[in-house]
Amino acid sequence: MSSFRKRVPESQPKIPPATRLNAHSAQLLVSTGVPSLDDLLGGGLPVGGILMIEEDRQTGYSNTLLSYFSSQSLAAGHKLCLVNADQEVDLKAQLPGWATRNTVQADAPVKDATSEAMKIAWRYQNLPRVDGDDDANRQKTSGSSTSEAAEIPFCERFDLMLRIQPAVVDQAQVEVLDGGRLLRLASSEKYGGDMYQCVLDHISSLIDDGFSSLKPVAQNTERNILRIEIGSLGSGFWQGSDSLAILKFLHRLRGILRYSYAVCMISFPAHLYEDSGTRLPIVRRIEHLCDAVIELESFEGTYASPSDIVARQAKSGASTSQDYHGFVHIHKLPRLNSLTASVGRLSLLHTGGGSANNLAFRLRRKKFSIETYHLPIEGGVSERRVPAKDDPKALRPGINVGGIGCGSTPGRKDPLEF
């Protein structure tokens, strides 16, 4: 009698909602809320990992990514732990809203294939779309047999012009440690003002309460995901026991997350750790303790002073929707359960002609996207390239107003004149 047993679907553990498996490393992935950022990470943020976003200078593009991460947590039904020592948190006023798939399909106009082919260059027409309206960006989760869990998409479609509904925030599982509450907890006798240890103990208690992978669950029990968002870690508002408190915090946090169903997204003000324009060595050590590190380098915050930024924003028509707002630098990619990163095999931005050195981001009215950087058209899109017909200078040299051009017949319009 054979000792091998066939694994039937009833005995297999169910994956949490709004998650999927990495085809390269079989790692469980969750979405950051931005499809293009998921593509850069190899399909999503691996469960048990830490993603660090290095903040840009004097602008708030990193806060936009954090708001996407929080809204995706509420849309997927995951538990959210939000930590921010710099300011008070108001989720109802800060998080963007989303539209369900049925609403999008009902309101979206019917696209004509011929008109779409005329707008897109022929060599780009057949490339996969990273941030489009296709069904791949809103892939359904197949780990649950219930109809309610099957309707949860892997990545929702968010609209920055909409605010999240208050009823969604009231029904969600959210733990908030903002400036006032975090300062009161850290000022107790137990911590003595050490905010890093206070946050670490709070996260550890949340993981032990149903999100630890070391504790078995009952059969056919669906697990959930704990999302941890930490804003501006290491800023001037964070108080620690010593100068290396942030390194100790990340080292312990990484060890806790490895054996849990939790993910963490951190924004880090790297520009505060500079000396005469050169980054301090501690920044490299902080990046080493994270699983993925992405830097946002905005054009406004890098090459302009604060007064120039205010003057540029006050000027009408300073930027259009076709302009890029900054570069995206990839310092580290997740390699959990693998020796190499899977982004080279699974990323559409890289296989479609992009690389880690020519990526840029745009912040439109409705969404944030990461794209391959292309040089703008010479002369811009607002400048007229073809002179007007009534302009005398528009005529070709050597041809009078009533003259006859090449290929034309007397009394008829020259067919070469467009």
Side-chain angles (χ1 to χ4, degrees):
M1 181 177 180
S2 176
S3 60
F4 294 98
R5 294 183 179 180
K6 183 179 179 180
R7 298 186 64 181
V8 294
E10 289 77 8
S11 61
Q12 294 180 357
K14 296 182 179 180
I15 64 175
T19 60
R20 62 185 178 190
L21 296 177
N22 191 331
H24 176 63
S25 60
Q27 180 70 31
L28 195 62
L29 303 177
V30 297
S31 176
T32 60
V34 183
S36 54
L37 181 57
D38 294 339
D39 178 79
L40 291 180
L41 298 176
L45 181 60
V47 174
I50 302 176
L51 170 62
M52 174 173 287
I53 305 295
E54 295 186 357
E55 299 179 0
D56 48 317
R57 295 174 180 269
Q58 305 169 355
T59 53
Y61 295 111
S62 59
N63 294 332
T64 304
L65 292 180
L66 293 179
S67 63
Y68 270 104
F69 184 78
S70 300
S71 294
Q72 179 62 35
S73 175
L74 301 185
H78 300 162
K79 187 170 184 178
L80 175 64
C81 177
L82 200 150
V83 181
N84 196 321
D86 294 6
Q87 59 184 356
E88 301 292 334
V89 177
D90 186 6
L91 298 179
K92 299 179 181 179
Q94 297 175 358
L95 298 186
W98 65 86
T100 60
R101 186 178 181 184
N102 296 332
T103 305
V104 173
Q105 291 180 350
D107 298 340
V110 179
K111 295 183 179 181
D112 189 5
T114 57
S115 61
E116 188 72 16
M118 295 296 293
K119 295 180 181 179
I120 303 178
W122 62 271
R123 59 177 177 175
Y124 302 121
Q125 183 177 358
N126 296 327
L127 291 178
R129 300 182 62 180
V130 178
D131 215 0
D133 299 335
D134 52 336
D135 295 336
N137 292 334
R138 295 185 298 272
Q139 180 179 358
K140 302 289 184 177
T141 57
S142 58
S144 176
S145 59
T146 59
S147 58
E148 181 180 0
E151 293 298 329
I152 301 178
F154 177 76
C155 181
E156 270 289 355
R157 182 181 179 183
F158 298 98
D159 190 347
L160 295 177
M161 299 185 64
L162 302 177
R163 294 294 94 183
I164 192 170
Q165 299 180 2
V168 177
V169 180
D170 296 337
Q171 298 174 3
Q173 306 178 28
V174 181
E175 292 282 344
V176 179
L177 286 178
D178 51 8
R181 183 185 177 188
L182 180 58
L183 183 60
R184 290 191 300 268
L185 293 177
S187 301
S188 61
E189 298 180 358
K190 180 180 180 181
Y191 302 108
D194 191 355
M195 292 184 176
Y196 294 98
Q197 187 62 37
C198 178
V199 173
L200 191 64
D201 291 346
H202 185 75
I203 294 176
S204 179
S205 61
L206 290 177
I207 293 177
D208 293 338
D209 189 15
F211 296 97
S212 177
S213 60
L214 301 178
K215 297 181 179 179
V217 296
Q219 190 175 3
N220 296 331
T221 300
E222 188 178 57
R223 289 184 178 270
N224 201 3
I225 298 295
L226 173 63
R227 290 174 177 252
I228 305 170
E229 175 189 324
I230 304 178
S232 299
L233 179 68
S235 64
F237 292 92
W238 284 82
Q239 303 175 7
S241 57
D242 50 22
S243 59
L244 301 178
I246 185 174
L247 298 177
K248 299 177 183 178
F249 171 80
L250 291 175
H251 186 271
R252 296 172 183 174
L253 178 62
R254 188 178 183 181
I256 295 175
L257 295 180
R258 280 296 187 270
Y259 301 96
S260 66
Y261 284 85
V263 292
C264 183
M265 187 172 182
I266 300 174
S267 65
F268 174 66
H271 59 275
L272 300 179
Y273 293 81
E274 293 183 355
D275 185 11
S276 301
T278 305
R279 289 189 174 182
L280 300 177
I282 192 175
V283 177
R284 183 57 182 169
R285 300 177 63 181
I286 292 175
E287 293 177 353
H288 181 70
L289 293 174
C290 299
D291 299 298
V293 180
I294 294 178
E295 178 186 0
L296 299 180
E297 181 186 2
S298 63
F299 297 146
E300 296 179 349
T302 304
Y303 306 109
S305 61
S307 58
D308 296 336
I309 295 177
V310 175
R312 185 179 304 175
Q313 293 177 349
K315 184 179 179 181
S316 60
S319 61
T320 62
S321 60
Q322 301 296 331
D323 296 335
Y324 297 99
H325 292 86
F327 288 117
V328 177
H329 302 287
I330 302 176
H331 296 293
K332 190 177 181 181
L333 291 173
R335 302 183 180 183
L336 278 72
N337 295 344
S338 177
L339 296 178
T340 59
S342 59
V343 63
R345 303 181 181 182
L346 304 177
S347 176
L348 299 180
L349 288 175
H350 284 252
T351 57
S355 65
N357 299 324
N358 62 342
L359 296 176
F361 65 90
R362 294 180 181 179
L363 181 60
R364 300 185 176 91
R365 293 188 305 169
K366 293 187 176 183
K367 66 177 181 178
F368 179 97
S369 62
I370 301 176
E371 305 172 2
T372 303
Y373 179 76
H374 299 284
L375 294 177
I377 303 175
E378 183 179 0
V381 297
S382 60
E383 180 179 337
R384 184 181 180 89
R385 306 173 188 276
V386 181
K389 294 183 179 180
D390 55 352
D391 189 2
K393 297 181 180 180
L395 300 177
R396 291 178 294 175
I399 302 297
N400 297 328
V401 177
I404 301 175
C406 177
S408 62
T409 57
R412 294 184 180 182
K413 184 179 180 181
D414 191 350
L416 299 181
E417 291 291 341
F418 297 96

